[in-house]
């Protein structure tokens, strides 16, 4: 028997479609992170004090002149001086003057923290912005700062003459030279009507962006850490084995194994119809696995329990029998047998009794009343050595006898807890591994494939079970595809007599002759 292919490596990176798929899968987490971050930003914004800002400006001027050359020189001097005065405006000297003028109860360093100074490019203007929790205080502080800067510049530019400390009537030192450069205030500051900080819209936008980034990061990390198998394409890409069937979630199968009469049910618009069509597709895919030598003995197993292998075995057998095939279902789970209960048959002798020689095979095969061409062989009494019995020559001989006139489906135990399924795969034509969507992990399936590979077992394919009918990667079912209704009178009515019956030869010709006569 050929061995299964070694698991392929997972794709290294994600393309755009993978990212979109990740977002669709984990969109709830992304939205939650975004909302939480936005609410956190809103809460932080509400807790922050409202700060008002007011602007006031001053301009550096030089003595004017009717001479154009002197005017240009004065303008250049003002623009050169304004760069020095920017640092003066940020000094403690101006802050002390403002504290004295407004009689403030604060320090120069604390006051400097609420003041910002800016010099627009290629101008002689100095713009002062004052911030405070009170709009009126911000207005007064901006005006007082420009006035304090003007006074400080005048003190710097005024040079005393002759060492005299006396002052003139204008407040300048007596005997001082006239100031060549000075700062003139440009009007009064405007009373602010709204706070400039905190910026609610900006904070909410930043919070939403941070939350969105965290949500996407969470989704990508979940995608890399989540090893659960969800799609048939994932099985084929990662492990290199064909996904020969996908079975939708059917609530009638939750918590129990039962037969849905797949292939015979007339329901086509509900979940039963979807399951029936999926089982037919699985039956067809199995028949095309090897056209020259189709598998006659098939082991149906899974990685762990509760993945639906017994249900898949029973309903696949019914679907194959409904197509006219002779099918024998063997309960190869000698530890926890279930098929007798699934088909509602009489418990008693089975596989172990035939292998022990205490019963004949024909005596313990039970036909299913709904389909006479479907027979079930129960497990029989639970033995102390299931693996040895399943791997015996007697088991191999029995299966070959059953496969002479029927397709044999063996419901085997899971691959990981025990070795029974791997042992059975050696005497079978191949194994079908049932995978439960969103529960079976890549690590479990890889270990299961390894167990089959060790015994040189052949893997026919994987069946993805319990595929959700809604959401991302859901099962797609398109309903009924029937022939178009014929228009009345468009087709001649066929004779009521059968075209072929037991009356003898010539029935077909008689029917066709009657049809031609009516035409």
């Amino acid at each position: 028997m050929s061995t299964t292919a070694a698991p392929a490596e997972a794709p290294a990176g994600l393309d755009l479609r993978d990212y979109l798929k990740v977002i669709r899968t984990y969109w709830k987490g992304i939205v939650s992170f975004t909302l939480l971050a936005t609410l956190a930003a809103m809460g932080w914004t509400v807790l922050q004090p409202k700060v008002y800002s007011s602007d006031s400006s001053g301009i550096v001027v030089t003595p004017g002149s009717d001479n154009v050359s002197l005017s240009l020189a004065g303008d250049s001097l003002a623009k050169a001086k304004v760069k020095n005065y920017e640092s003066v405006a940020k000094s403690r000297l101006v802050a002390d003057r403002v504290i004295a003028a407004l009689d403030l109860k604060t320090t120069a360093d604390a006051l400097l923290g609420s003041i910002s100074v800016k010099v627009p490019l290629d101008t002689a203007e100095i713009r002062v912005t004052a911030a405070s929790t009170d709009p009126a205080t911000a207005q007064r502080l901006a005006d007082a700062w420009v006035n304090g800067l003007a006074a400080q510049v005048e003190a710097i530019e005024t040079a005393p003459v002759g060492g005299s400390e006396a002052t003139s009537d204008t407040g300048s030192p007596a005997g001082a030279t006239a100031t060549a450069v000075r700062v003139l205030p440009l009007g009064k500051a405007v009373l602010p009507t709204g706070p400039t900080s905190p910026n609610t819209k900006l904070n909410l936008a930043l919070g939403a962006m941070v939350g969105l980034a965290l949500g996407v990061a969470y989704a990508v990390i979940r995608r890399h850490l989540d090893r659960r198998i969800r799609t048939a394409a994932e099985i084929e890409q990662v492990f290199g084995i064909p996904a020969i069937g996908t079975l939708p979630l059917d609530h009638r199968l939750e918590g129990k194994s039962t037969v849905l009469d797949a292939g015979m049910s007339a329901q086509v618009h509900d979940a039963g119809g979807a399951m029936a069509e999926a089982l037919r597709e699985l039956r067809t895919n199995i028949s095309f696995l090897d056209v020259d030598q189709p598998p006659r003995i098939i082991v149906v197993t899974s990685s762990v329990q509760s993945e639906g292998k017994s249900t898949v075995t029973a309903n696949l057998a019914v679907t194959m029998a409904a197509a006219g095939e002779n099918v024998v279902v063997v309960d190869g789970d000698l530890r926890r047998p279930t098929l007798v209960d699934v088909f509602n048959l009489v418990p008693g002798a089975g596989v172990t009794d035939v292998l022990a020689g205490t019963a004949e095979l024909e005596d313990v095969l039970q036909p299913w009343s709904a389909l006479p061409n479907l027979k079930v062989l129960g497990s029989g009494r639970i033995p102390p050595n299931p693996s040895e019995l399943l791997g015996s020559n007697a088991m191999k001989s029995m299966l070959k006898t059953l496969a002479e006139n029927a397709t044999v489906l063996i419901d085997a135990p899971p691959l990981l807890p025990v070795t029974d399924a791997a042992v059975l795969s050696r005497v079978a034509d191949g194994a079908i591994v049932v995978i439960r969507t969103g529960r079976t992990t890549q690590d479990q399936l890889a270990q299961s494939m390894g167990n089959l590979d060790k015994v040189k077992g052949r893997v026919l394919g994987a069946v993805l079970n319990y595929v959700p009918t809604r959401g991302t990667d859901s099962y797609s079912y398109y309903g009924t595809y029937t022939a178009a209704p014929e228009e009345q009178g468009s087709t001649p009515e066929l004779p009521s007599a059968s075209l072929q019956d037991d009356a003898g030869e010539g029935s077909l010709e008689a029917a066709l002759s009657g049809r031609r006569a009516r035409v």
Side-chain angles (χ1 to χ4, degrees):
M1 299 178 184
S2 60
T3 60
T4 182
E9 293 294 333
L14 297 176
D15 57 18
L16 180 59
R17 289 187 300 176
D18 292 330
Y19 280 109
L20 293 177
K21 180 179 176 181
V22 169
I23 292 174
R24 289 197 303 268
T25 303
Y26 300 104
W27 68 270
K28 292 182 179 179
I30 296 175
V31 172
S32 299
F33 271 97
T34 304
L35 290 178
L36 287 175
T38 304
L39 292 175
M42 179 181 293
W44 181 86
T45 301
V46 171
L47 295 177
Q48 297 303 307
K50 294 182 178 180
V51 178
Y52 298 85
S53 298
S54 183
D55 296 332
S56 185
S57 300
I59 188 170
V60 178
V61 297
T62 57
S65 174
D66 295 336
N67 189 309
V68 176
S69 299
L70 292 178
S71 296
L72 292 175
D75 183 64
S76 299
L77 177 62
K79 292 179 179 179
K81 285 287 188 180
V82 75
K83 297 178 181 179
N84 297 328
Y85 295 157
E86 182 180 2
S87 60
V88 174
K90 299 176 182 179
S91 66
R92 292 185 179 88
L93 297 174
V94 177
D96 291 335
R97 288 179 180 272
V98 173
I99 291 174
L102 299 180
D103 193 22
L104 300 177
K105 306 299 183 183
T106 185
T107 62
D109 291 334
L111 193 61
L112 285 170
S114 61
I115 297 295
S116 61
V117 179
K118 181 180 179 182
V119 176
L121 183 65
D122 200 26
T123 65
E125 179 187 357
I126 297 180
R127 188 174 300 164
V128 177
T129 302
S132 176
T133 55
D134 178 55
T137 301
Q139 180 189 28
R140 293 195 305 270
L141 186 59
D143 287 333
W145 203 273
V146 173
N147 293 331
L149 174 61
Q152 187 62 38
V153 168
E154 183 179 2
I156 294 174
E157 292 292 338
T158 303
V161 179
S164 175
E165 297 297 332
T167 59
S168 63
D169 295 337
T170 60
S172 300
T177 60
T179 58
V181 182
R182 56 181 175 167
V183 176
L184 294 180
L186 297 177
K188 295 290 185 179
V190 179
L191 181 68
T193 57
T196 56
S197 177
N199 191 331
T200 304
K201 292 183 179 179
L202 178 61
N203 292 342
L204 293 181
L206 291 176
M209 291 179 62
V210 171
L212 181 62
L214 292 175
V216 172
Y218 156 81
V220 173
I221 293 174
R222 277 288 305 271
R223 189 263 181 188
H224 283 285
L225 296 181
D226 188 2
R227 306 281 293 174
R228 293 175 293 179
I229 299 174
R230 300 183 183 276
T231 63
E234 185 179 354
I235 301 172
E236 297 175 348
Q237 293 174 1
V238 177
F239 298 95
I241 58 176
I244 59 176
T246 54
L247 304 181
L249 175 65
D250 195 318
H251 295 291
R252 293 173 295 177
L253 299 177
E254 290 182 354
K256 62 179 180 178
S257 298
T258 185
V259 176
L260 297 177
D261 292 341
M264 299 180 298
S265 175
Q267 300 175 351
V268 291
H269 296 291
D270 58 3
M275 176 62 78
E277 190 60 38
L279 287 167
R280 294 189 193 103
E281 182 181 359
L282 174 59
R283 177 191 63 194
T284 304
N285 291 338
I286 292 175
S287 65
F288 282 97
L289 287 175
D290 192 339
V291 179
D292 296 329
Q293 294 181 346
R296 301 285 292 176
I297 304 175
I298 302 173
V299 174
V300 182
T301 183
S302 61
S303 298
V304 293
Q305 61 183 11
S306 301
E307 294 189 78
K309 62 175 183 60
S310 298
T311 301
V312 172
T313 304
N315 286 277
L316 175 60
V318 172
T319 304
M320 297 174 70
E325 299 182 42
N326 292 327
V327 182
V328 174
V329 182
V330 178
D331 196 342
D333 193 344
L334 304 184
R335 302 172 190 268
R336 294 183 179 180
T338 58
L339 284 186
V340 173
D341 295 332
V342 171
F343 286 98
N344 195 23
L345 299 177
V346 178
V351 173
T352 55
D353 300 280
V354 175
L355 297 181
T358 58
E360 295 295 330
L361 183 59
E362 293 77 10
D363 296 333
V364 295
L365 274 176
Q366 300 186 55
W368 193 43
S369 57
L371 291 169
N373 56 330
L374 172 59
K375 297 181 179 180
V376 181
L377 179 60
S379 62
R381 292 172 293 180
I382 298 178
N385 54 344
S387 299
E388 287 75 8
L389 283 179
L390 295 176
S392 64
N393 292 328
M395 182 69 179
K396 184 176 181 180
S397 177
M398 184 189 72
L399 293 177
K400 287 185 176 181
T401 301
L402 293 173
E404 290 177 358
N405 300 313
T407 300
V408 180
L409 298 180
I410 308 173
D411 180 29
L415 285 161
L416 297 186
V418 292
T419 61
D420 298 5
V423 171
L424 280 172
S425 68
R426 297 181 58 185
V427 298
D429 296 329
I432 295 176
V433 181
V434 177
I435 299 169
R436 181 157 187 167
T437 306
R439 178 174 296 184
T440 308
T441 65
Q442 294 183 11
D443 300 328
Q444 290 173 336
L445 184 57
Q447 189 175 351
S448 299
M449 295 298 102
N451 291 348
L452 290 174
D453 187 60
K454 291 176 183 177
V455 298
K456 308 301 180 182
R458 178 188 179 192
V459 179
L460 298 177
V463 174
L464 195 61
N465 198 19
Y466 292 102
V467 179
T469 56
R470 295 182 180 179
T472 308
D473 301 322
S474 60
Y475 179 84
S476 298
Y477 176 60
Y478 300 100
T480 309
Y481 186 75
T482 58
E486 298 178 354
E487 297 182 3
Q488 185 176 2
S490 62
T491 304
E493 182 181 358
L494 293 175
S496 58
S498 173
L499 294 181
Q500 183 176 359
D501 54 23
D502 297 332
E505 300 178 357
S507 299
L508 178 59
E509 288 78 358
L512 293 177
S513 298
R515 178 180 176 183
R516 285 194 296 268
R518 283 191 297 272
V519 174

